[in-house]
Amino acid sequence: MKHFYRFILSICAVWLLSSCVDDAYNLSNIEDGDIALGGNESEFFMPLASISYAASNIQINANEEMSAIELYNRINIWIPSTLPGNATYIDLQQLKQPAYKNSILNALYDEMEQQEQKRLAVCLHVMECYKPGLIEMLQESGNATLALAAQHLNTITNQEGSALLATLFAACPNEIRAVFNELSDNDLLNYNIQDARIRIPSLDISEEVETMLSDNLDPMQVTNPTNALYLFGDIYSDFPFLCHFNPYILESQINLGELSVDKQVTTPIQEIRIYKEDLQTLINGSFLVIPITLERYYPHADFNENSKLDISISLRKTGGLTL
């Protein structure tokens, strides 16, 4: 019988999403209470929203114009091809601990000693992003060779400067590593993500269908309701992070709970009970706000403008429908 009611509501969903309705099926012609569909044991399901959110929309700290993609690429510069202990991810909370961060950078420096390509890539990044700070630190190092090099860096291109810096990395390894250790903090410890703010378009649901769904709901204080509305869904992410989400819908009491969303994994959104006013907010259109905390970072992944979050939200109605 539940399958029958799912089928009936699916027909209703198709009807309500259509811009043209045949008069023969116009619910406004039916007197309230004339027809009851289903009973206390009934369930009805309806998809509400399917949303995609591109990685390019995710921004870093509000005072910086940097996307999450740019930050990811910057972090990658400082990450060795093989992590200590052959780990597959970086714990971003542990990264704030000097010993953990130094273990990663030491593995990077070992790779830089062996691979010219990696050595030049790091040095070019430093020249392009942190040249003034680099020059100041070399001038204040107390090393005559580095002080002279700092003067020269002011007169050459970034590409030429990266080659010079790579030479200094071999000639003065302790001093240059100390400089890199400090400059890397600008990238490795800069991952406070702005809340994602995702528009949920208004739903093409008539007043008749809204009434059918919400007219007989049990009051909030009823803890085991017969007639109730529930939201549920899932989130799929192909972002190269393990993220902690706590999504909620503006201008409503809808909080979708705390979610741990890993890369390329579909994470269920557990059912939450909603009420008539919440349904009205969804019908009128609102915003899904997702506070984001990054917990793990998976290096050297393909993270680009095509990467996205896919969010699906559906509605479950328990109890009968009154037409």
Side-chain angles (χ1 to χ4, degrees):
M1 184 62 72
K2 288 183 180 179
H3 294 296
F4 169 74
Y5 293 135
R6 291 193 190 199
F7 173 71
I8 289 294
L9 197 60
S10 297
I11 293 176
C12 291
V14 172
W15 166 78
L16 64 89
L17 290 173
S18 173
S19 59
C20 298
V21 180
D22 193 296
D23 285 341
Y25 299 95
N26 190 338
L27 294 183
S28 64
N29 296 328
I30 300 175
E31 294 292 335
D32 288 348
D34 281 357
I35 299 175
L37 181 61
N40 289 348
E41 301 300 321
S42 301
E43 286 185 305
F44 304 88
F45 295 82
M46 179 186 293
L48 291 184
S50 182
I51 308 163
S52 289
Y53 191 70
S56 55
N57 291 325
I58 298 180
Q59 300 295 312
I60 311 304
N61 309 324
N63 60 341
E64 298 185 29
E65 296 182 359
M66 185 189 302
S67 72
I69 296 174
E70 183 178 355
L71 172 64
Y72 181 82
N73 291 332
R74 284 191 173 206
I75 294 176
N76 262 338
I77 294 292
W78 300 104
I79 305 304
S81 300
T82 302
L83 291 173
N86 292 318
T88 59
Y89 63 85
I90 291 175
D91 186 323
L92 291 175
Q93 302 308 311
Q94 284 294 316
L95 196 56
K96 300 173 184 178
Q97 303 301 320
Y100 184 80
K101 179 193 166 209
N102 288 340
S103 70
I104 293 171
L105 290 178
N106 287 337
L108 169 70
Y109 300 147
D110 290 344
E111 182 176 336
M112 290 173 64
E113 289 179 350
Q114 302 296 323
Q115 297 185 19
E116 181 183 17
Q117 183 178 2
K118 185 66 172 180
R119 184 164 62 249
L120 290 174
V122 172
C123 292
L124 180 60
H125 174 67
V126 170
M127 287 294 299
E128 290 177 339
C129 297
Y130 305 116
K131 184 175 180 178
L134 168 67
I135 290 174
E136 181 179 355
M137 293 172 73
L138 295 181
Q139 289 173 336
E140 296 175 354
S141 66
N143 184 304
T145 299
L146 297 181
L148 181 61
Q151 297 178 15
H152 192 45
L153 288 174
N154 262 324
T155 65
I156 57 179
T157 66
N158 288 338
Q159 197 75 38
E160 294 168 334
S162 66
L164 174 57
L165 190 55
T167 300
L168 294 174
F169 176 80
C172 306
N174 293 334
E175 292 87 344
I176 297 301
R177 290 184 184 206
V179 169
F180 285 177
N181 284 352
E182 184 170 340
L183 292 177
S184 65
D185 285 349
N186 294 290
D187 297 323
L188 295 179
L189 304 183
N190 180 25
Y191 47 83
N192 293 319
I193 303 294
Q194 290 190 54
D195 294 353
R197 186 182 173 96
I198 306 171
R199 184 176 181 273
I200 301 177
S202 59
L203 305 176
D204 188 13
I205 293 180
S206 69
E207 291 183 8
E208 291 90 344
V209 173
E210 181 183 350
T211 299
M212 181 176 66
L213 291 170
S214 62
D215 197 42
N216 67 341
L217 296 179
D218 292 338
M220 183 183 299
Q221 57 267 29
V222 177
T223 55
N224 294 301
T226 298
N227 300 287
L229 291 175
Y230 300 91
L231 283 187
F232 68 97
D234 57 58
I235 296 180
Y236 176 84
S237 169
D238 57 10
F239 296 171
F241 301 100
L242 171 65
C243 303
H244 180 269
F245 291 167
N246 190 9
Y248 61 91
I249 294 176
L250 284 181
E251 300 177 359
S252 77
Q253 299 299 312
I254 301 174
N255 187 311
L256 299 179
E258 297 189 2
L259 303 172
S260 184
V261 178
D262 212 345
K263 67 165 187 172
Q264 298 179 346
V265 173
T266 299
T267 302
I269 300 172
Q270 300 300 325
E271 276 194 344
I272 60 163
R273 186 181 174 190
I274 67 170
Y275 303 92
K276 183 174 183 177
E277 296 78 9
D278 300 323
L279 180 62
Q280 290 172 341
T281 297
L282 289 171
I283 291 174
N284 293 334
S286 185
F287 285 90
L288 176 65
V289 180
I290 308 180
I292 302 173
T293 301
L294 302 182
E295 297 182 348
R296 291 180 182 175
Y297 164 94
Y298 298 99
H300 311 304
D302 186 15
F303 186 41
N304 54 54
E305 293 183 354
N306 296 321
S307 302
K308 60 183 179 177
L309 288 174
D310 288 324
I311 306 168
S312 175
I313 301 175
S314 296
L315 180 74
R316 181 170 76 98
K317 168 69 169 70
T318 62
L321 303 175
T322 302
L323 303 183

